[in-house]
Amino acid sequence: MRQSQKTEQQADRLSRIGLENRKYTRARSTDYGEGKGMSVTIQDLVLDRNNLNQAYLRVKRNKGATGIDDMTVDDLLPYLRENKTKLIASLRDGNYKPAPVKRVEIPKPTGGVRKLGIPTVVDRMVQQAVAQVLTPIFERIFSDNSFGFRPHRGAQDATARVVNLYNQGYRRVIDLDLKAYFDNVNHDLMIKYLQQYIDDPWTLRLIRKFLTSGVLDHGLFARSDKGTPQGGPLSPLLANVYLNELDKELTRRGHHFVRYADDCNIYVKSQRAGERVMRSVTHFLEKQLKVKVNPDKTKVGSPLRLKFLGFSLGVDRNGAYARPAKQSQKRVKQALKLLTKRNRGVSIEQIFEEIHRKVRGWLQYYSIGKLTGFIQRLDQWLRARIRQYIWKQWKKFKTKITNLQRLGLSYRDAYVFASTRKGYWRTAHSKTLSYSLTNRKLENLGLINMSKTLQLIQK
């Protein structure tokens, strides 16, 4: 299958037909097919060869776990070579039947598990093909206050909007927590909300098939009467379509809000206004959208104390600024603590590689915040953890003497220091080990300097 850039242009052309008052079923295209002015349906765009090529390449690039059929992304191309014609025919005539998703449970950092549904790679490719065509359509419709799972938008943009709202005087926030949102989406309402913008029976039937394909959990099949399982390429878009109804209602009421997928914060100027808005919005969500609001976690408070997307706010003479929430700081430190346990028994090179992967992504995510002081302290603590690990690795008395000499100590000083009876953590903070295993030497061995890396990211 060959890659082309025409698909995105065709889908974008479809999206430009109209805005919210237009239902999308077909477009006039002079580039699609042989004749000028040919009518192009959403079905045509989804099943277009270029669109399917792009979907295949995206699934291949994203990799991911196998579904219930154990087919890997590497198996997908040989499968398509043999079954492409049959697959497209089954999609076109409506006989395509998605396989049940495989249930996978991922532990949450705050406790509990997040339930994912992993479709087969073939189903992932079909979902991706649908998402590529529908995304440009709905991007014209979605709220400017929605940031999750959208092109060229992300958590950092949402956080910057929060800082701006606080500086405008919105000092109280309603932190909405939807209970198991992805598991409780009402299928009939989902189709209804899609029908507001898409008047294409083929597309709607295919989406309903994905919604109702079922779940295979430890060999047991369960029907899908509600919910849109996390794990497929189409689920994020559908989740946003559903909660776009909340966005429309909040906009109609004149509220200032920021939503990232099912995390929604509404900003007001007083505690009393916040409690009033919380009650009315909870009623709308539960009665109109049929989703459950968690009363124990939904609260009105200060953005300086509550966290949103891992950030909280701080204030100085220049106004509000983002910073990693205390829970986020504790979490990254705990992760590094596990990586540097002195009894792991793996090479120091492997540990440095694991630390780099963990820390680089974390710094990239939080780089818009003010975190220089925390990172400097974390750097110092991490180096002590590494010195402790190295000291433990040396084990034998003679090995310690030899390695200390290599680091520049005389035999006598090395002998005296190797004879210490202090514990590993106390030894790691000693002047002798700090002066011999210097920060520069640790960097040369491969340990990331988080402070320098942050400066490079923030340039």
Side-chain angles (χ1 to χ4, degrees):
M1 303 177 86
R2 294 177 300 166
Q3 187 181 19
S4 172
Q5 296 179 348
K6 288 185 179 179
T7 304
E8 206 169 308
Q9 295 169 356
Q10 291 165 353
D12 187 60
R13 190 178 298 110
L14 178 61
S15 74
R16 290 197 296 269
I17 300 174
L19 298 174
E20 289 194 26
N21 61 345
R22 175 67 66 94
K23 288 189 178 183
Y24 297 86
T25 180
R26 59 186 66 245
R28 304 294 293 179
S29 173
T30 58
D31 295 335
Y32 190 93
E34 297 179 356
K36 289 189 176 182
M38 179 176 287
S39 180
V40 182
T41 65
I42 294 178
Q43 177 185 355
D44 292 329
L45 290 174
V46 170
L47 299 182
D48 175 58
R49 178 181 180 179
N50 296 322
N51 188 53
L52 292 174
N53 281 338
Q54 187 180 355
Y56 161 76
L57 292 170
R58 179 66 64 87
V59 170
K60 175 77 172 176
R61 186 165 59 248
N62 289 345
K63 299 181 180 179
T66 61
I68 63 170
D69 61 356
D70 293 326
M71 184 188 295
T72 68
V73 291
D74 293 327
D75 299 328
L76 182 56
L77 185 57
Y79 173 87
L80 291 173
R81 284 172 176 159
E82 286 191 23
N83 300 279
K84 180 180 66 175
T85 303
K86 182 179 178 182
L87 173 64
I88 294 175
S90 68
L91 284 165
R92 193 177 298 280
D93 61 25
N95 291 327
Y96 179 79
K97 185 177 180 182
V101 297
K102 181 168 70 175
R103 172 68 73 217
V104 177
E105 294 183 347
I106 306 296
K108 290 183 180 180
T110 54
V113 294
R114 177 177 288 107
K115 295 180 179 180
L116 301 183
I118 309 299
T120 65
V121 289
V122 175
D123 288 340
R124 291 212 293 272
M125 192 191 81
V126 176
Q127 286 193 34
Q128 181 64 38
V130 175
Q132 287 168 180
V133 174
L134 296 188
T135 294
I137 294 173
F138 283 100
E139 277 301 304
R140 300 290 299 273
I141 294 161
F142 287 155
S143 167
D144 186 51
N145 300 306
S146 165
F147 293 88
F149 306 122
R150 295 183 60 189
H152 313 300
R153 285 172 165 252
Q156 293 184 333
D157 303 302
T159 303
R161 182 72 60 85
V162 169
V163 171
N164 188 41
L165 286 170
Y166 189 91
N167 287 332
Q168 290 179 38
Y170 295 91
R171 304 295 169 83
R172 309 305 288 178
V173 57
I174 301 105
D175 184 9
L176 289 172
D177 185 272
L178 302 183
K179 192 172 183 179
Y181 165 68
F182 285 89
D183 295 330
N184 288 302
V185 168
N186 184 288
H187 290 171
D188 291 334
L189 286 178
M190 173 68 79
I191 298 300
K192 174 186 174 183
Y193 299 147
L194 286 165
Q195 280 179 317
Q196 292 179 106
Y197 310 108
I198 299 174
D199 186 17
D200 184 77
W202 180 87
T203 305
L204 295 173
R205 281 197 302 270
L206 182 59
I207 290 175
R208 186 179 279 277
K209 284 183 178 182
F210 280 117
L211 290 173
T212 59
S213 62
V215 176
L216 199 65
D217 189 358
H218 295 95
L220 298 176
F221 175 78
R223 293 180 58 187
S224 301
D225 298 321
K226 59 181 179 178
T228 171
Q230 297 181 74
L234 195 55
S235 292
L237 175 63
L238 296 181
N240 272 332
V241 169
Y242 200 88
L243 285 179
N244 187 54
E245 299 303 308
L246 171 63
D247 298 346
K248 286 159 60 177
E249 179 66 15
L250 294 177
T251 301
R252 185 186 68 79
R253 297 183 185 186
H255 292 313
H256 296 273
F257 67 97
V258 177
R259 183 175 66 80
Y260 190 95
D262 59 329
D263 289 329
C264 184
N265 277 5
I266 307 168
Y267 293 85
V268 294
K269 293 190 174 181
S270 70
Q271 183 74 17
R272 184 177 178 182
E275 291 173 355
R276 183 184 70 249
V277 171
M278 182 175 68
R279 288 192 296 269
S280 63
V281 171
T282 297
H283 182 270
F284 172 81
L285 285 166
E286 295 187 338
K287 298 300 180 183
Q288 299 298 319
L289 300 190
K290 310 298 182 186
V291 294
K292 298 177 182 177
V293 176
N294 190 333
D296 297 326
K297 294 184 178 179
T298 297
K299 60 190 76 173
V300 181
S302 168
L304 303 179
R305 295 186 178 181
L306 298 179
K307 70 181 180 72
F308 181 56
L309 304 177
F311 289 92
S312 59
L313 298 188
V315 178
D316 57 20
R317 61 184 179 181
N318 297 318
Y321 58 86
R323 61 183 179 186
K326 289 183 178 179
Q327 298 95 318
S328 303
Q329 296 179 17
K330 289 179 181 177
R331 209 169 290 147
V332 70
K333 190 171 182 178
Q334 182 61 29
L336 292 174
K337 192 172 184 179
L338 291 174
L339 290 178
T340 56
K341 284 179 66 175
R342 63 175 187 254
N343 60 351
R344 282 194 67 194
V346 298
S347 69
I348 196 69
E349 291 79 14
Q350 180 179 332
I351 288 181
F352 286 165
E353 186 180 337
E354 292 173 357
I355 289 173
H356 191 278
R357 283 201 302 266
K358 175 66 183 178
V359 168
R360 180 80 193 191
W362 194 91
L363 290 175
Q364 195 79 44
Y365 182 84
Y366 288 102
S367 60
I368 64 163
K370 186 178 285 189
L371 64 159
T372 303
F374 168 69
I375 292 301
Q376 288 174 346
R377 294 190 298 273
L378 191 63
D379 254 335
Q380 187 176 7
W381 171 84
L382 181 59
R383 291 181 190 119
R385 293 282 299 182
I386 294 301
R387 290 186 181 106
Q388 174 187 239
Y389 189 88
I390 292 173
W391 186 249
K392 174 71 164 56
Q393 270 198 328
W394 288 347
K395 292 183 181 178
K396 295 181 181 180
F397 180 70
K398 287 183 178 180
T399 305
K400 291 176 182 178
I401 294 175
T402 302
N403 287 329
L404 287 170
Q405 284 184 282
R406 286 174 180 169
L407 292 170
L409 269 67
S410 66
Y411 176 80
R412 183 178 179 281
D413 289 343
Y415 185 93
V416 171
F417 190 72
S419 303
T420 183
R421 294 190 177 185
K422 294 177 182 177
Y424 291 109
W425 187 237
R426 192 171 174 186
T427 302
H429 287 83
S430 67
K431 290 183 179 179
T432 301
L433 210 57
S434 297
Y435 290 154
S436 54
L437 277 173
T438 63
N439 297 348
R440 185 183 294 274
K441 284 179 181 176
L442 292 177
E443 282 186 56
N444 290 337
L445 288 171
L447 179 63
I448 187 172
N449 184 315
M450 292 183 279
S451 299
K452 289 181 181 178
T453 304
L454 179 63
Q455 289 176 4
L456 291 172
I457 292 172
Q458 291 179 331
K459 277 186 178 180

